[in-house]
Amino acid sequence: MKLLHRFFIAIIIFSCTGTSFSQKIKPKKVKESMQQVADWQIANFDGLYSDRKKPHHPLDWTNAALYVGMAKWASMADDDTYYEWLKNVGEENEWQLHKRKYHADDHAVGQMYVELFRKYKDEKMIAPTKEQFNFLMFHPSQSALNWGTPYHQDRWNWCDALFMAPPVLAKLYKVTGEKKYLDFMMSEFMASTDFLFDKEENLYYRDERYFDKLDNGTKVFWSRGNGWVFAGLVNIMNELDPKSEEYAYFLDIYKKMAEKLIEIQTPEGHWAMSLLGQEFYLTPETSGSSFYVYGLAWGVNNGILDKETYEPAVKKGWNAMASHVTKDGMLGYVQPIGAAPGKAWPDKTEVYGTGAYLSAGTEVYKLYGGE
């Protein structure tokens, strides 16, 4: 009965989108889709598309994830329109990080600031970010990683945090040459991985609360959380010397996750919201899945993953993601804010889903011949 249910879901999705998952990917079409999605998101930046009561703060982690993808798209767009839009966000907020000094979510916008610094070479774009991380390194949190510990989220004790803060530190290391940023990132990332990574499944628990939980008899590995880890690994490795010990550490985790991900990709091309429970979570989810496509395509593009083995997963995944973009450019089936497997709908989206889709598009574009 479950297999029959999945079959009908696949037929419905296929008939609604008209997209074949074996469809050939053309770089021009990828770029057109990316621009359509980027333009829709900018036009609807303050829109309420997932039952929110008010727009996110411009420096919130949700928008920070959007900016990560938007900056990647800006680098391949035909003009500087998207860079200027991002720069306006920074200027209006005086290049500050968000309000919580230690919380990784509020550090994530720093990734965009560093990318703008790379383009415009204006030190004021990264000065507040450097100042805040300098403070954290001299006053590190003394909290344990256990969920019930006071001030526990002052450290990276939930897996999505590994997308938020570590790439900022890696980028600061790359643009300043100051190894203190790299050393602090390595120490904290390794502690978080030792705590959250399941060595049997090669996936991350969202946080300590899920260590012993089962969902329909399966361990609970949240798709979006792991998607953010996977993308974070790529965004960190992009800043490191491939011959360094630090790069080798992240590469080992990345390869283990990649091997697991192609094993558990759904026949429809996405990844189930509970990664090991695809028969119980049939609804597509595009924010986590887009980051898997991004990471896998990056691996093939950089000669890290075998193309014959991994390219079919990228192709199926991208075609699935693109099929959930409406004719107006809205990416649907983005799970609303949460911390566990849940629900998604074709007419609901979130800014971080757009960021993931734009990240995926940059690597898919390269993979299929885009310059």
Side-chain angles (χ1 to χ4, degrees):
M1 182 61 73
K2 289 169 184 170
L3 290 175
L4 188 61
H5 189 192
R6 175 178 291 282
F7 173 76
F8 282 121
I9 289 287
I11 290 296
I12 290 169
I13 293 171
F14 178 87
S15 62
C16 289
T17 62
T19 298
S20 167
F21 298 126
S22 63
Q23 179 178 322
K24 183 178 180 182
I25 295 177
K26 299 179 180 178
K28 181 180 178 182
K29 292 294 184 183
V30 173
K31 191 172 182 180
E32 287 174 354
S33 180
M34 292 174 69
Q35 181 166 356
Q36 184 187 32
V37 170
D39 289 348
W40 182 92
Q41 190 64 77
I42 289 173
N44 293 274
F45 184 57
D46 291 329
L48 304 177
Y49 286 88
S50 64
D51 298 330
R52 284 181 281 119
K53 303 301 182 186
K54 60 181 180 179
H56 301 300
H57 189 283
L59 302 183
D60 189 63
W61 65 267
T62 50
N63 282 318
L66 165 65
Y67 305 149
V68 168
M70 192 68 76
K72 293 179 185 298
W73 160 245
S75 70
M76 60 181 281
D78 296 328
D79 57 46
D80 283 351
T81 298
Y82 305 94
Y83 274 124
E84 291 298 323
W85 183 77
L86 291 169
K87 187 167 77 160
N88 185 62
V89 172
E91 289 172 343
E92 288 187 348
N93 293 279
E94 300 180 332
W95 306 101
Q96 297 294 317
L97 301 181
H98 205 16
K99 56 188 177 183
R100 294 170 293 184
K101 188 174 290 289
Y102 281 87
H103 202 290
D105 285 359
D106 291 2
H107 301 157
V109 69
Q111 296 184 60
M112 182 259 280
Y113 294 159
V114 177
E115 291 309 309
L116 291 177
F117 169 75
R118 283 177 159 146
K119 179 172 176 61
Y120 295 104
K121 309 301 182 186
D122 188 341
E123 183 68 27
K124 76 171 183 288
M125 294 176 170
I126 60 171
T129 301
K130 290 166 60 179
E131 181 180 357
Q132 185 155 327
F133 276 108
N134 288 342
F135 176 88
L136 297 183
M137 287 185 288
F138 279 101
H139 304 85
S141 170
Q142 300 301 307
S143 176
L145 293 167
N146 304 90
W147 194 257
T149 306
Y151 310 108
H152 60 94
Q153 286 190 296
D154 284 357
R155 296 183 67 196
W156 307 334
N157 74 334
W158 70 107
C159 72
D160 1 347
L162 300 181
F163 172 87
M164 309 292 189
V168 184
L169 286 157
K171 289 174 184 292
L172 287 177
Y173 163 66
K174 184 66 177 288
V175 298
T176 66
E178 296 184 53
K179 197 166 182 289
K180 62 183 181 181
Y181 297 113
L182 178 62
D183 291 342
F184 182 74
M185 180 197 69
M186 291 301 302
S187 175
E188 289 298 291
F189 198 106
M190 293 172 77
S192 299
T193 294
D194 288 344
F195 190 62
L196 297 173
F197 190 65
D198 186 306
K199 294 180 180 179
E200 293 181 359
E201 302 295 347
N202 289 325
L203 297 168
Y204 281 79
Y205 291 101
R206 198 276 175 174
D207 58 64
E208 184 189 36
R209 294 172 295 173
Y210 296 90
F211 287 177
D212 299 318
K213 282 189 177 180
L214 294 178
D215 185 349
N216 293 293
T218 67
K219 294 179 182 179
V220 183
F221 296 108
W222 184 34
S223 179
R224 182 158 74 229
N226 277 273
W228 289 47
V229 173
F230 199 55
L233 291 169
V234 169
N235 292 342
I236 291 167
M237 287 190 288
N238 276 332
E239 308 299 331
L240 303 182
D241 178 357
K243 297 179 181 179
S244 67
E245 291 183 7
E246 293 86 356
Y247 185 94
Y249 170 79
F250 293 111
L251 184 63
D252 178 62
I253 301 170
Y254 167 85
K255 285 182 174 180
K256 288 174 179 175
M257 290 188 72
E259 184 176 356
K260 183 69 175 186
L261 288 169
I262 62 165
E263 175 189 325
I264 59 177
Q265 185 180 25
T266 70
E268 296 79 33
H270 62 274
W271 280 262
M273 283 189 243
S274 185
L275 287 171
L276 302 186
Q278 61 175 267
E279 62 183 304
F280 307 106
Y281 290 89
L282 302 177
T283 306
E285 202 289 310
T286 55
S287 65
S289 295
S290 290
F291 271 143
Y292 297 134
V293 174
Y294 165 62
L296 294 173
W298 176 87
V300 175
N301 284 334
N302 286 275
I304 292 166
L305 301 179
D306 176 64
K307 184 174 183 178
E308 185 176 346
T309 302
Y310 286 90
E311 184 272 337
V314 173
K315 184 178 183 180
K316 187 164 63 171
W318 175 257
N319 282 333
M321 298 305 99
S323 77
H324 300 311
V325 176
T326 69
K327 58 180 175 50
D328 297 324
M330 186 193 84
L331 177 68
Y333 284 111
V334 179
Q335 184 187 0
I337 293 170
K343 297 181 179 180
W345 298 266
D347 61 342
K348 286 187 171 57
T349 194
E350 265 290 2
V351 286
Y352 47 77
T354 297
Y357 186 82
L358 294 175
S359 292
T362 58
E363 293 296 331
V364 170
Y365 181 74
K366 295 175 191 174
L367 180 57
Y368 292 99
E371 298 179 357

